[in-house]
């Protein structure tokens, strides 16, 4: 990946798909931690860590939208793995393995 350095995890999910965005917003209000505990830096995994993960490059489908795992990052505080999904239409989202 050409991504260098760290990025910031968005506090609220962004989605160009209105219906999906509303569903994620509804989930966010009930399942996400408080905004001040959710905002953390993201760290890149090493190439070796990424290739060991069976979800790297996996195809995903959310409703009618398909995409693939483009990259895997780790929360600098929580150490939780976050999978960056690139949908076929170019949109991006971060998800945990459970999501």
């Amino acid at each position: 990946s050409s991504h260098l350095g760290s990025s910031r995890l968005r506090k609220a999910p962004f989605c160009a798909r209105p219906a999906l965005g509303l569903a994620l917003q509804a989930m966010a209000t009930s399942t996400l931690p408080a905004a001040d505990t959710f905002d953390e830096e993201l760290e890149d995994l090493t190439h070796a860590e990424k290739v060991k993960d069976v979800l790297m490059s996996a195809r995903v489908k959310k409703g009618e939208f398909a995409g693939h795992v483009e990259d895997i990052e780790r929360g600098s505080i929580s150490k939780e793995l976050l999978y960056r999904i690139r949908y076929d239409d170019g949109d991006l989202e971060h998800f945990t393995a459970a999501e």
Side-chain angles (χ1 to χ4, degrees):
S1 166
S2 63
H3 176 70
L4 297 174
S6 63
S7 58
R8 296 200 50 94
L9 180 63
R10 290 186 294 264
K11 290 183 182 178
F14 168 79
C15 187
R17 301 173 192 90
L20 183 56
L22 291 174
L24 289 173
Q25 240 176 354
M27 287 174 28
T29 58
S30 63
T31 61
L32 294 178
D36 59 335
T37 62
F38 192 67
D39 189 21
E40 70 178 323
E41 295 287 323
L42 297 180
E43 304 170 338
D44 289 330
L45 268 63
T46 66
H47 178 72
E49 289 174 299
K50 291 177 187 181
V51 297
K52 286 181 188 175
D53 194 310
V54 296
L55 295 178
M56 185 63 192
S57 300
R59 291 290 298 169
V60 296
K61 187 166 174 139
K62 185 159 188 165
E64 63 187 76
F65 301 101
H68 68 279
V69 176
E70 175 180 79
D71 199 9
I72 307 170
E73 297 166 304
R74 178 184 295 123
S76 61
I77 298 167
S78 69
K79 302 301 181 195
E80 183 171 37
L81 294 180
L82 296 167
Y83 296 84
R84 186 168 65 208
I85 309 302
R86 180 169 300 274
Y87 291 99
D88 294 342
D89 66 3
D91 280 353
L92 291 172
E93 287 186 291
H94 278 103
F95 289 106
T96 63
E99 293 176 303

